Amino acid sequence: MSVWPAWEVQEGEGATSWFHVRLAFADGARVDLLAVVADGCASLEDVRAQPALSLDDLAVLADWIEGPLFEACGLGPVPEEGEPGVSRRARPAWPRGVEGRWLVAQEYRAAQQEGVDPVLAVMCATGHSRRKSLRMIAQARDAGYLTPRHARR
């Protein structure tokens, strides 16, 4: 992910800053957006994605960029709600080993049943990149928690 300033408007003692943000994935997908930071709050002003994002993807987009965006504009790590000064983890804790592979398989199957992108569901659940999520899905397949991707002949 890359973040760079677009422009800033001074308003009395405060300022409103706009930032260009780009998320690029290994498979060629990318998301470009314009984020606004004012009074310690961030909002998305414009989002362009190739391929297009679903509503579920848009819901997690802010979580993906919030920490790096606040760090880029000098506000430091984003605190937990109600706990000023305590930094929030950029990605949720995810168990390793057998338990982690089983949970990946659960997320993957639940997304399939709901008719949404299962890889994106694993990305959202684990907080990992697409590449890492695909590796985790492959490990769940190898462990027998998911059916093989391709039938061997």
Side-chain angles (χ1 to χ4, degrees), residues 19-65:
F19 291 87
H20 292 288
V21 180
R22 173 170 286 162
L23 294 161
F25 299 94
D27 64 355
R30 78 175 203 207
V31 179
D32 292 306
L33 58 99
L34 186 62
V36 181
V37 177
D39 299 323
C41 296
S43 60
L44 304 179
E45 194 163 288
D46 184 37
V47 178
R48 294 172 191 219
Q50 194 62 307
L53 296 174
S54 69
L55 290 177
D56 291 334
D57 299 340
L58 283 172
V60 297
L61 181 60
D63 292 334
W64 289 348
I65 68 160

Side-chain angles (χ1 to χ4, degrees), residues 90-142:
R91 94 174 38 119
W94 193 261
R96 295 176 181 258
V98 174
E99 184 183 1
R101 289 189 286 276
W102 184 81
L103 289 172
V104 163
Q106 296 300 312
E107 289 290 335
Y108 189 93
R109 281 196 297 268
Q112 280 182 321
Q113 289 174 350
E114 293 173 10
V116 297
D117 182 359
V119 176
L120 187 60
V122 171
M123 288 172 59
C124 294
T126 63
H128 288 293
S129 68
R130 185 172 188 82
R131 177 179 284 172
K132 175 68 176 171
S133 295
L134 286 169
R135 267 191 240 126
M136 294 171 79
I137 292 166
Q139 290 171 349
R141 284 187 200 289
D142 292 344

